[in-house]
């Protein structure tokens, strides 16, 4: 952007090391999928093991020569590490290998840059890229450290590197300001939905778990869905009617991945807040994945990082069409509360069970009773109508109103507070046996 870089090529040599002191090692298969998602063509995979990374090259000198040989044999112009490299390690490797070097964070940032579609998504990706780039400006280009001179070039005495860093800071500040505006707009939309008492259901999960496929199938949306990592980047919301709940908002969100770069979590905070402020999280899991349990843990780690780990959640095991002998079903706890649903978003099997489970979980906070209101309670009746809470109404014959009311309990408490009525007083108005009540 602000400095020269070697041309990148699609042919790539991949490097993966198993570190003995790494409690959460990266998955080489997932690494290869990431490279393919970025449009790369892996021509060689160099693997090895070390106790600790080499401070200069990350790999040892013997492994470094193996990488050099792989680059020379394949003609690759790009070497990608399945690890995060320090700026100095990246510079040293590029100088020795004479080709571009990319680490895991840079690879994920590149995929995000390709997939961003909305203005907000592009801003978020650019912010993460600039913050990542700011520590890597020097690279191997020593001319950046020199001051400019000559006619028309004499200035404030900044080196080219200082100028570039200043430009980066200005651009980052500008993007943060614009993203803050986006965050305020999202908060305003969420406040409007809360005032309208419309629940929000956010789909979260590991990348490529099938969130967008399920979202499209449930809401008849046309969100881009593909069998690749990070197919979805920009959040999409759609309305859907849920039995016993009414209108609800479904939100499709960006997928998570192991060791999701912290810069991305920060940059996408405005988007991830859709999950933080949801009434219910649908944690979509690829039931066919061998790393299913690890993926579940990684998603929970990211949810904890953004403060969404305490929200009500329903686990959705997707892709059962790839499993033998697994039928769509709902798992329940000892109290009969739904905790997991097994389904296939691709074939549609089990989706009605998912909607049933969502209805049960959201309807727990719904007040649905038949009330007999005396004429003196006309204000309570008017407020119930104002809140669109009256399902049906009839006259008892003695002038009282028989009203079937349905509304969220938190709204009911506000209504009762407005008419200065307690919950105990409301219970005396409930109709258990209408004939007996009228008599």
């Amino acid at each position: 952007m602000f400095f020269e870089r070697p041309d990148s090529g699609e042919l790539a040599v991949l490097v993966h090391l198993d570190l003995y002191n790494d409690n959460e090692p990266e998955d080489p298969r997932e690494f290869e999928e990431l490279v393919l998602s970025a449009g790369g063509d892996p021509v060689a995979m160099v693997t090895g093991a070390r106790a600790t990374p080499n401070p200069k090259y990350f790999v040892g000198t013997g492994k470094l020569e193996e990488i050099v040989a792989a680059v020379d044999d394949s003609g690759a112009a790009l070497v990608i590490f399945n690890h995060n490299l320090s700026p100095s390690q990246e510079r040293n490797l590029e100088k020795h290998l004479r080709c571009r070097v990319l680490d895991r964070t840079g690879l994920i940032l590149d995929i995000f840059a390709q997939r961003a579609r909305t203005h907000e998504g592009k801003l978020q990706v650019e912010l993460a890229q600039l913050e990542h780039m700011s520590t890597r400006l020097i690279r191997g280009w020593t001319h950046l450290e020199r001051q400019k001179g000559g006619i028309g070039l004499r200035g404030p005495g900044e080196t080219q590197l200082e100028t570039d860093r200043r430009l980066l800071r200005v651009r980052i500040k500008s993007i943060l300001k614009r993203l803050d505006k986006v965050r305020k707009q999202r908060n305003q939309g969420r406040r409007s939905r809360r005032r309208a008492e419309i629940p929000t259901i956010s789909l979260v999960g590991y990348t490529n778990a099938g969130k967008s496929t399920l979202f499209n199938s449930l809401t008849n949306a046309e969100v881009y869905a593909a069998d690749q990592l990070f197919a979805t980047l920009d959040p999409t919301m759609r309305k859907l009617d849920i039995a016993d709940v009414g209108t609800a908002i479904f939100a499709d969100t960006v997928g998570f991945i192991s060791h999701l770069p912290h810069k991305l979590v920060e940059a996408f905070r405005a988007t991830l807040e859709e999950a933080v402020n949801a009434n219910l999280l649908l944690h979509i899991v690829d039931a066919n994945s061998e790393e299913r349990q690890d993926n579940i843990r990684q998603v929970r780690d990211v949810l904890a990082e953004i403060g969404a780990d305490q929200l009500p959640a329903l686990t959705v095991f997707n892709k059962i069409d790839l499993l033998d002998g697994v039928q769509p079903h709902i798992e329940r706890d000892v109290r009969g509360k739904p905790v997991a649903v097994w389904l296939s978003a691709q074939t549609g099997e089990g989706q009605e069970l998912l909607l049933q489970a969502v209805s049960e979980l959201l309807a727990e906070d719904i007040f649905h009773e038949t009330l007999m209101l005396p004429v003196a309670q006309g204000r309570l009746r008017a407020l119930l109508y104002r809140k669109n809470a009256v399902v049906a109404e009839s006259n008892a014959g003695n002038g009282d109103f028989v009203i079937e009311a349905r509304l969220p309990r938190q709204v009911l408490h506000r209504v009762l507070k407005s008419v200065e009525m307690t919950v105990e007083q409301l219970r005396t108005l409930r109709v258990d046996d209408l004939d007996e009540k009228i008599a």
Side-chain angles (χ1 to χ4, degrees):
M1 180 171 293
F2 298 103
F3 55 97
E4 298 176 52
R5 305 175 80 174
D7 292 335
S8 61
E10 291 188 349
L11 297 180
V13 172
L14 312 187
V15 180
H16 171 84
L17 292 187
D18 290 320
L19 301 174
Y20 301 144
N21 61 350
D22 193 351
N23 296 325
E24 296 181 358
E26 305 291 2
D27 182 1
R29 287 175 298 180
E30 181 181 85
F31 175 43
E32 192 169 351
E33 286 181 30
L34 280 171
V35 175
L36 291 170
S37 292
D41 183 8
V43 290
M45 170 82 84
V46 177
T47 60
R50 279 184 70 89
T52 56
N54 181 298
K56 186 174 182 180
Y57 294 114
F58 193 87
V59 296
T61 52
K63 193 63 62 177
L64 183 62
E65 294 311 312
E66 190 178 333
I67 298 171
V68 170
V71 170
D72 291 341
D73 292 344
S74 63
L78 178 63
V79 175
I80 308 177
F81 279 71
N82 193 21
H83 311 274
N84 290 328
L85 303 174
S86 70
S88 62
Q89 286 171 337
E90 232 174 71
R91 288 196 299 271
N92 294 334
L93 284 165
E94 286 192 345
K95 186 176 181 180
H96 192 89
L97 298 173
R98 296 183 180 181
C99 68
R100 188 179 169 211
V101 174
L102 200 62
D103 67 354
R104 181 181 173 86
T105 296
L107 175 62
I108 294 174
L109 286 172
D110 185 81
I111 296 172
F112 272 51
Q114 292 180 44
R115 302 286 157 74
R117 295 290 180 268
T118 65
H119 177 64
E120 177 194 352
K122 290 174 182 177
L123 282 177
Q124 290 169 326
V125 170
E126 186 180 354
L127 174 62
Q129 284 181 315
L130 291 177
E131 290 181 336
H132 182 68
M133 198 183 292
S134 61
T135 61
R136 289 164 163 76
L137 273 177
I138 298 177
R139 290 257 172 182
W141 311 105
T142 56
H143 72 277
L144 292 176
E145 298 170 352
R146 296 197 300 269
Q147 293 183 8
K148 289 182 177 180
I151 297 173
L153 293 176
R154 296 181 180 91
E158 286 184 325
T159 64
Q160 182 63 43
L161 181 61
E162 289 167 343
T163 302
D164 285 348
R165 281 179 175 158
R166 178 169 52 81
L167 291 173
L168 276 176
R169 286 195 298 270
V170 170
R171 179 61 179 163
I172 288 173
K173 187 176 180 180
S174 171
I175 293 175
L176 286 171
K177 189 174 180 181
R178 292 159 79 178
L179 283 176
D180 187 57
K181 183 178 179 182
V182 170
R183 186 175 288 112
K184 289 177 180 176
Q185 291 172 339
R186 284 191 178 279
N187 286 335
Q188 185 177 4
R190 280 190 285 266
R191 283 196 298 271
S192 298
R193 292 198 294 272
R194 278 197 292 268
R195 281 197 298 270
E197 310 303 339
I198 300 176
T200 301
I201 303 156
S202 286
L203 280 68
V204 299
Y206 209 77
T207 182
N208 204 30
K211 295 183 298 299
S212 295
T213 303
L214 180 60
F215 181 81
N216 288 338
S217 183
L218 289 172
T219 64
N220 295 319
E222 295 181 356
V223 172
Y224 176 68
D227 185 17
Q228 58 187 22
L229 303 184
F230 297 119
T232 302
L233 199 57
D234 303 304
T236 308
M237 286 177 277
R238 292 289 187 274
K239 286 183 179 179
L240 187 66
D241 286 330
I242 305 291
D244 295 328
V245 175
T247 300
I249 299 291
F250 276 74
D252 188 19
T253 62
V254 61
F256 301 156
I257 196 168
S258 63
H259 306 139
L260 187 67
H262 186 72
K263 291 182 178 67
L264 275 179
V265 175
E266 283 298 315
F268 277 76
R269 188 165 292 279
T271 300
L272 295 172
E273 281 174 359
E274 292 299 340
V276 177
N277 292 277
N279 298 85
L280 177 66
L281 296 179
L282 296 185
H283 180 177
I284 316 301
V285 178
D286 181 354
N288 190 48
S289 173
E290 295 179 6
E291 291 79 30
R292 187 170 77 192
Q293 293 305 318
D294 285 339
N295 294 350
I296 290 174
R297 181 173 47 79
Q298 295 286 352
V299 170
R300 288 174 178 168
D301 288 345
V302 177
L303 290 175
E305 187 173 349
I306 64 175
D309 53 328
Q310 299 301 316
L311 293 175
L314 176 68
T315 304
V316 180
F317 290 101
N318 187 26
K319 304 186 182 182
I320 63 169
D321 52 305
L322 302 178
L323 301 175
D324 293 330
V326 178
Q327 297 298 318
H329 65 280
I330 298 177
E331 285 184 23
R332 300 179 182 274
D333 60 14
V334 291
R335 296 175 298 167
K337 181 179 177 180
V339 294
V341 178
W342 293 72
L343 54 72
S344 169
Q346 190 69 41
T347 65
E349 293 179 282
Q351 288 187 21
E352 71 286 350
L353 297 178
L354 173 61
L355 294 177
Q356 177 189 330
V358 169
S359 173
E360 289 181 36
L361 292 172
L362 291 180
E364 285 183 345
D365 294 327
I366 299 293
F367 173 86
H368 191 178
E369 299 284 350
T370 301
L371 306 171
M372 181 171 287
L373 303 184
V375 176
Q377 293 293 345
R379 186 156 176 256
L380 174 57
R381 174 175 174 267
L383 284 172
L384 290 174
Y385 267 102
R386 192 176 302 168
K387 297 294 183 182
N388 295 319
V390 178
V391 178
E393 183 185 48
S394 60
N395 195 287
N398 61 353
D400 291 347
F401 300 102
V402 179
I403 290 180
E404 183 184 351
R406 186 183 174 286
L407 71 168
R409 291 187 184 276
Q410 57 181 356
V411 181
L412 176 66
H413 288 304
R414 290 201 294 270
V415 169
L416 294 179
K417 187 176 181 180
S418 299
V419 297
E420 298 180 350
M421 178 183 286
T422 65
V423 176
E424 288 71 22
Q425 289 172 321
L426 181 69
R427 288 198 182 104
T428 65
L429 302 176
R430 287 168 53 183
V431 177
D432 296 318
D433 189 328
L434 188 58
D435 295 333
E436 182 180 322
K437 195 87 173 182
I438 295 175

